[in-house]
Amino acid sequence: MSLKSKMMIPRLATIKRKSVQFDQSGGPTHNLALYLKAKTPEIVNLSHNVNPTSKRRREHQVVQSLCSKMAGIVEEIEDEHLKHLFDNKDVINVYNLDVVNLSAGAPGPDLLKRCIPLFMQATVHRMEKEQEHAYLFQYGITSGLWEYREQLSQFLTKRYSEQVNRADLVLTCGAAHGLVLIIDTFLPRNAVIFVEDVTYMIALEAFRQFPSMKVVPVPQTSEGVDTEALNIIASEEKSKGSWELTENKLFWAIFYTIPIFHNPTGLTMSQNCCESLVRVARKLDLAVVRDDVYNLLYYGDSDSPPRRLFSYDRGTEGFRGGHVISNGTFSKIMAPGVRVGWLEVAPRLALVLRNSYELFLRSGILKSGGAVNQYMSGVITSILELGLEDKHLDFLVHTCKERMQAVCDTLDQFLPSYCSFTRPEGGYFVWLRLPESVDANRLAKWCQDKYKVAAIPGSRFSVKQGFKNYLRLAIAFHQVEILTEATKNLCLGIQDYVGNKCK
Ligand SMILES: Cc1ncc(COP(=O)(O)O)c(C=O)c1O
């Protein structure tokens, strides 16, 4: 309930636990009722009883009833003692193995425990450096510690096998924060956000925080976004609207994507697709915001992970580039709890940054906040400097590769032939296609109850709640034995469900 609605009630009535005392001077009680009707769907029916011409006593009864219901609602808000994100009653507790939850896109406890000695060592290293000025405990530089960006650029250059420039990096609190920062900084209020047909479900939730912006889905192929469709759809949107672009609000639209080891499909955008996406972005002057969160979790045979879309947007003759923003994070390659990430801003934007005293300097959040997560970025700097992240990432790649293999091998063996999936070359997710007639929401419930295994139904990843016959499985949380058994149980559950429920 909003503060406003809480504050309105006492003018007419004082709410105590389960009882309401009215201010007998009365007032336009039906207005309150109508207000409550708009604010709280639960009391719509009651508020239908409100008739402005009815007798005052009757009005009071109705409002009393409404208010005690409201009081009930207030009383019902619980502050649960949750220990972790997946400990909520709406989400299956991923730490409780009574039902094996294959939903969590997060590293498991065995992987996170390995961070403890790393952080102990790095903290001591960093604290020694702080003895003189204790700068790390001071407000920080807006775009993030110089040493953090220097160490990060060296680490990324090595791991991507592509040049990453320190000057192009900006510290964030992780990719979710980076995404919101981009929208907030670069887009006008009525901007358009294009997304792939299925995409990271929490990005969709983040976009809803900007209700004046329009979210438009674009079809995908096995190679990535359908760039021809994007061209047509985005051209049409562009011709319909007008945008007030300024030196800050540079783009009328963004295309949000996860081109490498996509969430939820696990697929990687092809080179052709990357090239034509950059062409469309340049032609229509929209920014491509890419979550580069799984890139370094590459399980293939080549020496380096797939080439980043960012590198297709380098300045070329006649064009300075600058339509691609890379949004990275330590959440998947170290630990989500550290809340540290980075934006790699394309050359054209870097130039704008320099010419105008840094565009991000104008972000009130970054400037007044004195950078974000300054302390932790200092500890991460030491982790990078001491070479600890390199070793840790090698271990993560090795372990997650085994986990991905275990899930995919089990699917190969037990998945009914009327289902399909593509074995991803990296990342966290496997995207299962079920027969058209299967509603994965129901199937998931069935498997949870009868086969003690849970996964996320496809509709959660779709703007229009499509893709009902898909399931996403996540591989990083559980160890191989648990994953193997749970995946087998899921396959048996699918077979049982289709045999019994879809006849
Ligand atoms: C595609 C994608 N982007 C962003 C995030 C969140 O990243 P962070 O923890 O850095 O905010 C996730 C986490 O699941 C993700 O899958």
Side-chain angles (χ1 to χ4, degrees), residues 105 173-177 200 256 258 263 291 293-294 328-332 336 339 429:
C173 290
H177 172 242
Y200 175 44
Y256 168 73
I258 311 130
N263 182 0
D291 272 359
V293 303
Y294 300 104
T329 179
F330 281 97
S331 289
K332 316 294 176 179
R339 308 310 306 141
F429 305 112

Side-chain angles (χ1 to χ4, degrees), residues 390-421:
D390 254 329
K391 285 194 203 119
H392 185 64
L393 181 54
D394 287 344
F395 176 81
L396 285 184
V397 169
H398 173 78
T399 310
C400 290
K401 180 177 176 171
E402 279 181 355
R403 292 180 185 185
M404 179 64 88
Q405 260 167 0
V407 168
C408 293
D409 290 351
T410 311
L411 289 172
D412 278 345
Q413 206 179 338
F414 295 103
L415 191 68
S417 57
Y418 45 73
C419 302
S420 59
F421 74 101

Side-chain angles (χ1 to χ4, degrees), residues 7-58:
M7 285 166 62
M8 275 193 65
I9 297 162
R11 278 204 273 141
L12 288 165
T14 316
I15 299 178
K16 296 209 174 137
R17 194 179 167 81
K18 305 280 177 206
S19 77
V20 183
Q21 286 164 7
F22 279 93
D23 165 4
Q24 290 307 315
S25 63
T29 49
H30 62 278
N31 283 347
L32 171 62
L34 291 174
Y35 182 79
L36 294 178
K37 176 185 167 186
K39 284 281 168 197
T40 54
E42 285 97 333
I43 52 178
V44 163
N45 291 337
L46 266 173
S47 63
H48 282 321
N49 295 335
V50 178
N51 173 357
T53 60
S54 67
K55 293 250 172 355
R56 199 178 148 107
R57 219 167 129 243
R58 171 73 189 128

Side-chain angles (χ1 to χ4, degrees), residues 168-170 186 310 324-326 343-347 349-350 353 360:
D168 298 344
L169 298 173
V170 176
F186 288 117
F310 191 82
V324 177
I325 298 175
S326 170
L343 289 177
E344 188 183 358
V345 188
L349 304 182
L353 299 182
F360 281 103

Side-chain angles (χ1 to χ4, degrees), residues 275-293:
E275 279 162 11
S276 56
L277 180 54
V278 170
R279 271 201 300 276
V280 172
R282 289 177 174 187
K283 181 182 143 209
L284 297 175
D285 209 9
L286 55 84
V288 176
V289 179
R290 43 170 303 150
D291 272 359
D292 279 325
V293 303

